Amino acid sequence: MPFFKTPFNGYSVKFSPFYENRLAVATSQNFGILGNGRVHVLDLNPSGPITEICSFETADGVYDCTWSEDNDNLLVAAIADGSVKLYDLALPPTANPIRSLHEHTREVHSVDWNPVRRDSFLTSSWDDTVKLWTVDRPASVRTFKEHAYCVYSSIWNPRHADIFCSASGDCTVRVWDVREPVSTMILPAHEFEVLSCDWNKYDDCLIVTASVDKSIKVWDVRNFRVPISVLNGHSYAVRKVKFSPHRQSLIASCSYDMTVCLWDYQVEDALVGRYDQHTEFTVGVDMSVLVEGLLASTGWDEMVYVWQHGTDPRAP
């Protein structure tokens, strides 16, 4: 499969939930420390190079992006200046962003669209908070402030419209119900910062977490005293984890060790694939909802790779 080179350092990749050949990439200049950012919208061509449909410039780095689950042209980006920007691909670049929401007081690190209710999304920030937004309101609906340090990720439960989990540098993962005034569960997940979390797509009681401690853990929220699986194999901090949308026990991860790994946490030799195409920190990974086994990754080497599991990402 082909690859794509971005002008800035890659931070996040997301497959479209509507089009199997569409991908969004969040990038930041100067490794996200200072400078501009850019959101790329790419089209995959099975028989040719990846082509860029459009891109959106930002005055600060872009750390994450996500597609609307309701409108195939709507894209949301998490910006390092604390803002959240909404883009409409149906409109010309000069009409974008269609909205800029600025309530967070520090960098916005992640954004996740509600797959059940489809009208709302979450943002997580280095200001230690998570905010809930709906498309039709210019201000956030609610702020969740219990974490004692940066919130790196917050992810909706794929089965329940009101439940999400959040991963923080305070070493905990919290489970929230937006109908409740406080978090419903505090998971002391790791002894070091937790950088990423995700819900299992087939069992709504399972959460996967990834940490600076190089490990990945799978938890059952019905009994979270000990993880049901601990996956070791990365040699540096694990930056992102994702449960497969197609196979219950499959997990993808990426790390500062420059690799993307695939794991089956239910088998003894859990590591089922390791890909080392990147030459810098690998910080973004995603699995296509529409095409089984299709992966995408990006990193600080300014590269975006898209490949089928079991094939070489660098192969033409």
Side-chain angles (χ1 to χ4, degrees):
M1 292 289 281
F3 54 82
F4 183 84
K5 189 161 191 333
T6 60
F8 302 153
N9 309 105
Y11 260 87
S12 174
V13 283
K14 291 285 170 63
F15 283 103
S16 165
F18 293 96
Y19 304 109
E20 61 183 49
N21 64 332
R22 188 159 293 178
L23 189 71
V25 184
T27 68
S28 298
Q29 199 173 18
N30 301 313
F31 309 103
I33 298 164
L34 80 168
N36 301 34
R38 191 176 293 175
V39 180
H40 299 267
V41 180
L42 308 178
D43 254 6
L44 312 175
N45 182 350
S47 57
I50 296 176
T51 54
E52 182 178 272
I53 303 172
C54 60
S55 65
F56 304 105
E57 301 275 345
T58 56
D60 219 318
V62 189
Y63 287 159
D64 196 17
C65 58
T66 194
W67 292 97
S68 163
E69 294 278 349
D70 187 51
N71 178 341
D72 60 349
N73 284 311
L74 200 58
L75 189 61
V76 187
I79 315 294
D81 64 3
S83 69
V84 181
K85 298 191 187 300
L86 280 73
Y87 299 96
D88 189 338
L89 273 58
L91 298 174
T94 52
N96 277 289
I98 57 169
R99 189 171 296 165
S100 185
L101 310 165
H102 207 142
E103 290 186 19
H104 285 294
T105 57
R106 290 198 62 196
E107 290 87 337
V108 185
H109 201 257
S110 90
V111 59
D112 189 52
W113 203 282
N114 192 322
V116 182
R117 189 164 283 141
R118 300 188 177 185
D119 67 342
S120 54
F121 59 92
L122 295 168
T123 55
S124 317
S125 171
W126 292 5
D127 66 10
D128 310 350
T129 71
V130 178
K131 287 182 181 285
L132 170 65
W133 312 81
T134 57
V135 180
D136 54 352
R137 290 178 59 166
S140 63
V141 178
R142 186 176 162 195
T143 300
F144 304 87
K145 186 169 174 55
E146 285 182 31
H147 282 295
Y149 196 60
C150 302
V151 186
Y152 293 115
S153 178
S154 49
I155 304 290
W156 289 107
N157 187 298
R159 301 277 185 93
H160 301 283
D162 297 302
I163 295 173
F164 70 91
C165 62
S166 56
S168 168
D170 66 10
C171 308
T172 70
V173 169
R174 289 176 186 256
V175 177
W176 310 78
D177 186 323
V178 300
R179 299 163 296 188
E180 302 292 335
V182 295
S183 62
T184 57
M185 186 179 299
I186 304 170
L187 191 66
H190 297 263
E191 292 184 5
F192 293 87
E193 290 188 87
V194 189
L195 301 181
S196 181
C197 59
D198 195 24
W199 291 94
N200 190 289
K201 310 302 186 284
Y202 296 90
D203 185 335
D204 52 21
C205 292
L206 298 185
I207 292 174
V208 62
T209 61
S211 170
V212 170
D213 68 12
K214 312 174 198 171
S215 75
I216 297 162
K217 297 181 182 180
V218 181
W219 306 86
D220 189 323
V221 298
R222 292 163 295 198
N223 179 12
F224 60 88
R225 279 189 289 277
V226 291
I228 60 174
S229 182
V230 179
L231 307 171
N232 291 304
H234 281 298
S235 53
Y236 288 101
V238 185
R239 180 57 185 263
K240 196 161 285 183
V241 279
K242 299 277 290 193
F243 265 117
S244 166
H246 298 282
R247 284 178 51 194
Q248 178 173 344
S249 58
L250 201 65
I251 296 166
S253 63
C254 65
S255 164
Y256 289 142
D257 67 11
M258 308 185 204
T259 68
V260 172
C261 286
L262 275 180
W263 314 79
D264 185 336
Y265 76 89
Q266 291 182 339
V267 300
E268 188 175 350
D269 294 325
L271 183 63
V272 295
R274 186 191 295 271
Y275 300 95
D276 62 353
Q277 66 269 24
H278 288 285
T279 56
E280 256 291 359
F281 291 168
T282 309
V283 294
V285 67
D286 197 22
M287 285 186 274
S288 171
V289 174
L290 302 175
V291 182
E292 184 170 0
L294 191 64
L295 295 149
S297 66
T298 191
W300 283 12
D301 57 4
E302 304 175 355
M303 299 299 291
V304 179
Y305 290 95
V306 182
W307 74 102
Q308 191 72 28
H309 172 46
T311 66
D312 184 349
R314 286 165 292 211

